[in-house]
């Protein structure tokens, strides 16, 4: 089963009307004709159309997309799965949404940075053109602002880690406000700061926003101990951090030793999956077409459970990025090993490298 975009939440009335009309269009379906008129009208999967591509500093580009009208929206800081066809091959990647959910024109945006030797990011930065139709998967992620902003905020970002925070800043600036926000951002070179001009403008226009820009090629690498100088009241703030794993590990350790770890929220582009401290009870994975059961202990991805049982499993990055490992789950409860969120699945495609079983799970393989 090939991975497709999210099923749009079309109204039951609309779906019943399409089913009633289906016999008039046999062997095609009403959806086939609707998609010929406008691909974004599909009720089978959510799609979007690229409106424009804006170059950014640091080898990145912002791709602005008009989603189908069934787009459910997002919270600042979340990410979306994006499906593109490159040289006839479908590829999926997850990107942080950099747009505010409050944009008046309804566009959403992602800002990938070109990865040398990569496939999807060079395509999005250099080759994708306005008018291209892309698939949109579920909006995911718990790296989001609190419902109530009753304390100061501290953002700590580095490199591409600016992307989810940019959505937060764009949401806060004209809305709830940048009343008491400190942003420490690191970049290797001054002319390589993605969104550099916009960050500088926010710093100039909002008295409640202070940007502390660290150019590592000149100032040295940022360490958590620097916060005592850059933001002396960091312990009192709700902190959001995104960047390289080494930085996030250092921040977590610092907050555990010197602050309140519950006030540090972080987003990893390459998440830690499972491990000894994993939550849940685990379960059993039933590979339906092989008539085989595999033990899946807590913290173990379905991918690894299958491999341990001798199943030839599809795999790629093993961190939930490339979507090569996706398989349809016939039924069962699964645990997201990055966030510990548990969900019930029925005939849905999931990434087996970042999800474990929570009870008995049946996989169509």
């Amino acid at each position: 089963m090939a991975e497709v975009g999210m099923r749009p939440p079309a109204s039951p009335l609309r779906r019943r009307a399409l089913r009633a009309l289906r016999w008039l269009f046999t062997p095609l379906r009403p959806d086939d004709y609707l998609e010929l008129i406008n691909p974004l009208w599909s009720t089978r999967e959510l799609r979007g159309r690229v409106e424009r591509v804006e170059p950014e500093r640091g080898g990145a580009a912002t791709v602005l997309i008009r989603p189908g009208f069934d787009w459910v929206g997002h919270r600042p800081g979340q990410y979306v799965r994006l499906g593109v066809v490159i040289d006839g091959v479908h590829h999926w990647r997850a990107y942080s949404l950099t747009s505010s959910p409050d944009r008046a024109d309804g566009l959403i945006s992602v800002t990938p940075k070109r990865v040398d030797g990569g496939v999807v990011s060079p395509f999005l930065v250099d080759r994708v053109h306005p008018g291209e139709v892309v698939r949109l998967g579920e909006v995911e992620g718990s790296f989001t602002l609190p419902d109530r902003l009753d304390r100061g905020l501290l953002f700590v970002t580095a490199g591409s880690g600016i992307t989810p925070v940019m959505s937060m800043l764009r949401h806060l600036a004209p809305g709830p406000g940048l009343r008491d926000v400190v942003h420490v951002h690191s970049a290797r070179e001054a002319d390589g700061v993605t969104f550099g001009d916009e960050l500088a403008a926010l710093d100039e226009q909002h008295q409640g926003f202070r940007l502390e820009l660290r150019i590592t090629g000149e100032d040295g690498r940022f360490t958590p101990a620097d916060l005592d100088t850059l933001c002396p009241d960091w312990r009192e703030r709700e902190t959001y951090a995104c960047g390289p794993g080494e930085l996030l590990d250092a921040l977590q350790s610092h907050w555990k030793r010197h602050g309140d770890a519950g006030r540090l929220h972080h987003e990893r582009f390459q998440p830690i999956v499972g491990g000894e401290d994993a939550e849940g009870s685990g379960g059993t994975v039933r590979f339906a077409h092989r008539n085989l059961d595999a033990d899946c202990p807590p913290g173990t991805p379905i991918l690894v459970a299958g491999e341990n049982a001798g199943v030839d499993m599809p795999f790629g990055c093993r961190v939930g990025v490339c979507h090569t490992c996706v398989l349809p789950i016939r039924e069962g409860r699964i645990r997201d090993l990055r966030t510990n969120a548990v969900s019930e699945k029925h005939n849905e495609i999931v990434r087996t490298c970042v999800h474990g079983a929570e009870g008995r799970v049946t996989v169509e393989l």
Side-chain angles (χ1 to χ4, degrees):
M1 183 184 292
E3 188 176 13
V4 298
M6 185 183 75
R7 192 169 189 243
S11 69
L13 179 62
R14 184 178 165 199
R15 294 194 183 279
R16 283 198 297 271
L18 289 172
R19 280 198 298 270
L21 291 171
R22 190 165 297 164
W23 66 275
L24 293 173
F25 296 87
T26 302
L28 299 179
R29 303 196 305 178
D31 253 346
D32 297 320
Y33 293 94
L34 290 174
E35 290 173 24
L36 288 175
I37 300 171
N38 187 337
L40 306 192
W41 290 352
S42 172
T43 60
R44 290 185 291 208
E45 65 173 354
L46 187 62
R47 297 171 180 171
R49 178 183 288 112
V50 175
E51 292 284 321
R52 61 182 184 274
V53 181
E54 298 176 348
E56 304 280 358
R57 294 184 194 171
T62 291
V63 183
L64 290 125
I65 300 167
R66 181 169 301 286
F69 66 85
D70 288 315
W71 172 252
V72 296
H74 71 282
R75 297 182 65 184
Q78 290 188 303
Y79 59 89
V80 66
R81 293 187 301 115
L82 190 69
V84 296
V85 179
I86 304 173
D87 300 330
V89 179
H90 287 277
H91 297 270
W92 284 90
R93 294 290 187 275
Y95 290 104
S96 295
L97 287 151
T98 52
S99 51
S100 166
D102 317 307
R103 280 185 68 115
D105 59 9
L107 299 182
I108 60 174
S109 68
V110 296
T111 307
K113 180 179 180 179
R114 184 190 305 105
V115 177
D116 294 335
V119 176
V120 177
S121 65
F123 173 80
L124 292 174
V125 173
D126 300 321
R127 294 172 54 191
V128 73
H129 296 293
E132 189 132 0
V133 174
V134 298
R135 289 170 162 173
L136 298 173
E138 290 84 1
V139 174
E140 300 178 65
S142 56
F143 185 69
T144 56
L145 293 169
D147 293 332
R148 293 183 56 185
L149 298 173
D150 51 6
R151 67 174 66 244
L153 296 174
L154 169 62
F155 296 122
V156 181
T157 59
S160 296
I162 182 66
T163 50
V165 168
M166 203 63 223
S167 177
M168 296 178 180
L169 294 175
R170 286 169 168 167
H171 167 67
L172 291 171
L178 294 171
R179 294 192 298 270
D180 184 12
V181 179
V182 178
H183 185 180
V184 180
H185 180 61
S186 298
R188 188 171 302 171
E189 300 171 338
D191 59 0
V193 181
T194 305
F195 307 122
D197 291 341
E198 190 170 348
L199 291 173
L202 290 174
D203 189 32
E204 182 177 340
Q205 296 167 3
H206 295 268
Q207 290 186 346
F209 178 75
R210 178 161 58 86
L211 175 66
E212 295 287 351
L213 184 60
R214 174 68 66 96
I215 304 301
T216 56
E218 303 170 3
D219 307 323
R221 184 167 293 186
F222 164 82
T223 68
D226 296 332
L227 287 173
D228 289 335
T229 303
L230 298 173
C231 182
D233 63 346
W234 62 270
R235 293 175 181 82
E236 310 303 320
R237 294 174 178 270
E238 209 70 28
T239 299
Y240 292 81
C242 186
E246 183 180 338
L247 170 64
L248 299 182
D249 291 342
L251 289 172
Q252 281 187 288
S253 177
H254 195 70
W255 253 253
K256 285 180 181 176
R257 280 184 287 144
H258 305 293
D260 180 353
R263 291 183 182 170
L264 175 64
H265 314 270
H266 64 276
E267 178 82 326
R268 293 178 184 269
F269 292 144
Q270 291 192 336
I272 297 174
V273 179
E276 296 179 354
D277 298 329
E279 299 180 10
S281 56
T284 302
V285 180
R286 176 72 173 173
F287 292 95
H289 299 178
R290 287 164 173 73
N291 195 27
L292 175 69
D293 289 337
D295 184 35
C296 191
T300 302
I302 293 172
L303 167 62
V304 175
E307 290 176 331
N308 290 342
V311 179
D312 185 13
M313 300 286 290
F315 69 91
C317 67
R318 291 180 178 270
V319 291
V321 174
C322 74
H323 293 245
T324 305
C325 67
V326 296
L327 286 174
I329 300 294
R330 181 186 294 177
E331 60 181 355
R333 283 158 54 86
I334 62 171
R335 179 180 293 274
D336 189 323
L337 299 177
R338 303 161 300 175
T339 64
N340 278 316
V342 176
S343 58
E344 187 88 24
K345 298 295 181 184
H346 294 279
N347 299 315
E348 295 181 53
I349 291 177
V350 304
R351 284 164 281 175
T352 62
C353 72
V354 292
H355 289 93
E358 196 68 19
R360 186 171 178 81
V361 173
T362 302
V363 178
E364 295 283 6
L365 182 67

